Amino acid sequence: MSKARFDKLCRSCRQIEPRYRVQSPEDRFDLYPDFPAFQASAQDGCKLCELLREALLGRYSDEGIQRGEDDYDDTIKKDWPKGPWDRRVRLTLAKIDTSEVVWTPSPWPPRSGIACVGADIRAEMYADAGDPAALHGKISLRLPNVEVLSPVNMRLIFGWMDTCEREHEKCHSEKVPRLPKRVIDVGSAEGEDNPPRLLETNRAPAQYVALSHCWGSWQDRSRYKHARLLKANYRDSLDAIRLQDVPPTLKDAIFAVRSLGLRYLWIDALCIIQDSKSDWAEQSGQMYSVRELTYETDALPAVSGLAQLFQRVHTGSDEYIGGLWRHDFMRGLLWMTHNSSTARKQSVYCAPSWSWASVKGQLDWPSRTIDEHCRDDFTGQILAVHLDVLSENPMGAVLGGFVTIRGRIRRLSQVVKPVEWGALLRFRYNLICDDELVGNGSFDVDGHGEDGEVWILQIQTQKPFDCYKPYHPTALLLRKATSSNNRFERLGIAVLEDEKLDFFDRCPAREFEFV
C-alpha cells in the first residue's frame, strides 16, 4: 500500500471529509485512461491526488468497460447519448464511473455508471498526536513506528502481555507448556558471541513464542542461506544460525523474543524440515494450526492439530475424513467457494475433490447455521472410506483415496449460464433436465464443468425452514472422474427450485465412488 504525508494539498483535496472513506464534497472530472488532471495536481505537490491517480492507473481496461456496457438492457441503452464515449470520468466518494458530462440541457440523461469500474479506493489517514487533524479533524490513526524494537513499541507489547496475564482468564495458566520437538534458542542479546541455534528439546516444559508467517518470494529463499530448515543444513543449524543468513522477518522475530526476556522461538520455516514430507506431517499436526501455508499441500496438516483437539473435546471417536467428520459428512459437503472467478484447484493433489482442501481460495459454508429449529433432512450414506495418508497421523496429509457413497444421483440435460443475473448471482447457472429448469448451480472454479456431462447428487431432501436462506444449497454438481460409470468427482453446489424438491423422488439410490 502506498503511503504519503499530506503536507500539501490542492484546493479540492483540502475539502475532503476525513471519514471512513475518502469523500469529496464536489465531483472531480478527468480523462481515462491517463487521468492528466490528477497528474498535473500531483506534479504541483498534492500527495493525495498522486495517491488517487496511482490507485486508478491500470485498474480498468477498454474491454472491461465494454463488457460493463453490454450488460445493460437495450431498453436502458436506447436513452443513452448517441455517439462514442468521450472518455471523461467522474470521481466522487472515491469511486470512478464513466459519464457523459452534460453541460447543457439534453433530451437524454447522463450516461452514468454504465461500466463496471466503480471500485472503492480506500485510504487510511494518519496524523501525529499533536497535529490539528488529530485534535479537531477526528483522525484517530497514528503513524506506525516502523522501528520494531523501539522503546515505544516494546512498552506497547509489554502492556499487552500484562493485560493478557492479569485480565484474560483463558490466557493465564499456572501450567508451563511443553516445548515442540524443535525450537530456536535465540541466545542472549549480545548476538555474535551467543548466536541463535536449533535446539532439540525432548519436549521439556518451558515458555516459548510461536511465529507463523507467509513465505517471502523465491528470490528471498535463494538469497538467504538459512531461510528454511532443510536436510542439508540441519546439522549446521544445531551449532549456530548466522543472523546475516536469516530473512529480515525471522531476524526481527529473534530480536523481539530476546527483548521480551524469553529464550525459545518456534518458526515453522526453521523448526520443521521443509524438504521432509513426513516431518512436516508430524510437526504441523502437533502445533494446533498454521495460519499461512508454506506449500499448497499443507492445508490438511495445518489444521490437523485443531482437528485432534476438536475430536477430544466434542466428537469423541468420530472419524475424520479428509477435512470432514463422518457423522456430519453429508452436511459438511455443502461448502462453496466465495468467488468462483478467483478460486483455483490446487496445482498438486492435496485432498479428494469433495474436500474443501482441494480448492485454493476463500470458502463459505452456508449450512453451518442449521440447527434443531431447521428442517435438515440430509440424505445419503457413507459405506466405506479409502484414504491413503502420508504419515501415522490420520488427520494429516492425504495422498489419495475416495469414499463409497450410497445416494440419489441424476444426470442433467444442460447447464446454461443465463444472460440475466438476479438474486441468484452466486448460483448463476441454470440446471436443465428434460427441458425443465430444476434449479441453479455454482461451480467451485469457473470453467470447471461448463462443458461436458454434469450430474447432480441429492444432499438434503428439503430446504431448511429459514426465511433468511432462500437459496440454501441442497445438492452437489458432479462429473464422471474416469471412463468408469461409477466414479465421480465434485464440480460445485446447487439449489433446487421450490417446486422441484421432489426431483429425486423417482430416482433410486445407487452406490458410487466419490473421489
Side-chain angles (χ1 to χ4, degrees):
M1 182 184 77
S2 297
K3 299 178 181 178
R5 294 190 66 96
F6 300 147
D7 298 319
K8 182 178 180 182
L9 297 176
C10 66
R11 182 190 64 82
S12 295
C13 288
R14 283 198 300 271
Q15 300 180 63
I16 285 176
E17 298 287 341
R19 299 179 181 176
Y20 67 98
R21 57 181 175 178
V22 179
Q23 181 173 351
S24 176
E26 63 180 29
D27 289 348
R28 307 274 298 274
F29 297 99
D30 211 333
L31 293 177
Y32 165 86
D34 296 322
F35 310 104
F38 279 102
Q39 183 179 23
S41 180
Q43 290 173 344
D44 196 40
C46 181
K47 291 295 185 180
L48 183 53
C49 282
E50 179 182 344
L51 187 65
L52 291 174
R53 182 174 183 267
E54 180 182 321
L56 294 172
L57 284 174
R59 178 170 295 200
Y60 311 116
S61 66
D62 292 342
E63 294 79 9
I65 292 174
Q66 186 61 53
R67 284 196 302 271
E69 293 190 1
D70 291 343
D71 279 343
Y72 276 75
D73 190 87
D74 289 338
T75 59
I76 298 176
K77 286 197 245 184
K78 70 180 179 62
D79 293 327
W80 286 355
K82 307 304 180 185
W85 171 43
D86 62 6
R87 296 191 172 263
R88 290 176 184 261
V89 294
R90 177 175 62 200
L91 181 77
T92 177
L93 292 176
K95 290 187 176 181
I96 182 172
D97 60 37
T98 61
S99 303
E100 291 286 357
V101 182
V102 181
W103 299 103
T104 58
S106 168
W108 301 286
R111 192 168 81 189
S112 176
I114 59 174
C116 299
V117 296
D120 279 335
I121 305 165
R122 300 188 179 275
E124 292 181 334
M125 292 191 174
Y126 297 84
D128 294 330
D131 192 283
L135 299 175
H136 308 295
K138 298 181 180 179
I139 297 180
S140 59
L141 294 177
R142 302 292 173 260
L143 287 172
N145 191 318
V146 296
E147 185 183 345
V148 177
L149 302 180
S150 68
V152 173
N153 285 343
M154 293 311 300
R155 283 197 300 269
L156 183 63
I157 294 173
F158 279 119
W160 286 337
M161 294 175 64
D162 181 66
T163 300
C164 198
E165 181 71 17
R166 289 186 295 102
E167 300 179 11
H168 300 166
E169 181 179 350
K170 292 185 178 179
C171 296
H172 179 77
S173 175
E174 300 294 339
K175 183 178 180 181
V176 179
R178 290 194 174 274
L179 293 172
K181 184 177 182 179
R182 307 181 195 97
V183 293
I184 302 300
D185 182 346
V186 300
S188 63
E190 283 72 23
E192 291 300 327
D193 295 333
N194 192 8
R197 65 187 183 91
L198 182 68
L199 178 68
E200 295 174 340
T201 67
N202 295 319
R203 313 283 182 179
Q207 297 284 352
Y208 68 97
V209 175
L211 169 70
S212 185
H213 70 106
C214 184
W215 279 92
S217 64
W218 285 102
Q219 290 84 352
D220 285 344
R221 301 189 199 185
S222 61
R223 185 182 306 148
Y224 298 99
K225 295 180 181 179
H226 242 116
R228 300 180 296 161
L229 179 64
L230 303 171
K231 295 175 183 177
N233 63 16
Y234 187 90
R235 290 297 171 191
D236 290 340
S237 301
L238 292 173
D239 294 330
I241 298 176
R242 298 198 314 163
L243 291 175
Q244 57 265 40
D245 294 337
V246 174
T249 300
L250 306 188
K251 188 186 301 184
D252 286 344
I254 290 172
F255 288 147
V257 172
R258 284 178 175 176
S259 299
L260 292 172
L262 299 174
R263 189 68 184 256
Y264 303 121
L265 170 66
W266 184 88
I267 305 175
D268 56 356
L270 297 182
C271 296
I272 298 177
I273 304 175
Q274 299 296 309
D275 54 354
S276 170
K277 289 185 177 181
S278 59
D279 192 63
W280 178 257
E282 175 193 356
Q283 297 304 311
S284 63
Q286 292 176 351
M287 289 307 293
Y288 289 122
S289 70
V290 178
R291 288 168 49 193
E292 299 288 350
L293 304 181
T294 304
Y295 304 111
E296 293 181 3
T297 51
D298 294 344
L300 289 175
V303 299
S304 62
L306 292 176
Q308 293 172 22
L309 177 62
F310 187 85
Q311 184 183 55
R312 290 197 300 270
V313 175
H314 294 284
T315 67
S317 59
D318 193 15
E319 185 179 4
Y320 186 73
I321 308 172
L324 304 179
W325 297 98
R326 183 162 189 157
H327 88 283
D328 198 37
F329 190 81
M330 301 309 293
R331 184 168 74 121
L333 291 172
L334 293 179
W335 56 266
M336 64 186 299
T337 52
H338 183 75
N339 187 341
S340 59
S341 64
T342 59
R344 297 289 181 267
K345 297 294 289 185
Q346 302 283 21
S347 60
V348 293
Y349 185 89
C350 301
S353 67
W354 42 259
S355 172
W356 52 266
S358 66
V359 174
K360 187 176 183 179
Q362 183 179 345
L363 303 176
D364 293 333
W365 189 38
S367 60
R368 69 186 183 277
T369 57
I370 292 179
D371 56 28
E372 65 274 9
H373 302 296
C374 298
R375 299 178 299 188
D376 53 345
D377 300 323
F378 292 94
T379 184
Q381 179 184 8
I382 298 181
L383 302 179
V385 178
H386 307 272
L387 288 185
D388 297 325
V389 295
L390 176 64
S391 67
E392 296 181 358
N393 178 9
M395 298 181 178
V398 173
L399 299 176
F402 60 91
V403 294
T404 302
I405 296 285
R406 180 176 178 82
R408 293 179 173 183
I409 183 172
R410 290 188 65 175
R411 184 169 64 87
L412 296 170
S413 305
Q414 282 183 291
V415 176
V416 180
K417 187 176 183 178
V419 176
E420 298 81 12
W421 292 0
L424 288 174
L425 179 60
R426 297 184 69 183
F427 297 91
R428 59 179 177 264
Y429 291 88
N430 287 339
L431 308 179
I432 310 296
C433 188
D434 298 331
D435 297 324
E436 291 187 356
L437 177 68
V438 297
N440 290 80
S442 173
F443 291 113
D444 296 334
V445 176
D446 277 358
H448 282 242
E450 294 184 20
D451 300 321
E453 207 173 73
V454 178
W455 296 66
I456 185 168
L457 168 67
Q458 185 183 39
I459 299 294
Q460 203 169 0
T461 57
Q462 54 189 335
K463 294 181 182 179
F465 188 69
D466 188 338
C467 62
Y468 295 105
K469 289 188 281 292
Y471 305 118
H472 186 89
T474 56
L476 295 187
L477 299 178
L478 313 177
R479 70 179 173 193
K480 290 184 178 178
T482 62
S483 57
S484 169
N485 287 326
N486 210 38
R487 178 166 280 207
F488 292 85
E489 64 182 2
R490 174 181 167 133
L491 288 176
I493 202 164
V495 55
L496 295 183
E497 293 286 304
D498 288 339
E499 63 273 17
K500 295 296 182 180
L501 290 177
D502 60 352
F503 177 68
F504 293 97
D505 286 357
R506 295 185 299 276
C507 174
R510 58 178 281 189
E511 296 181 14
F512 65 94
E513 295 177 357
F514 200 4
V515 298

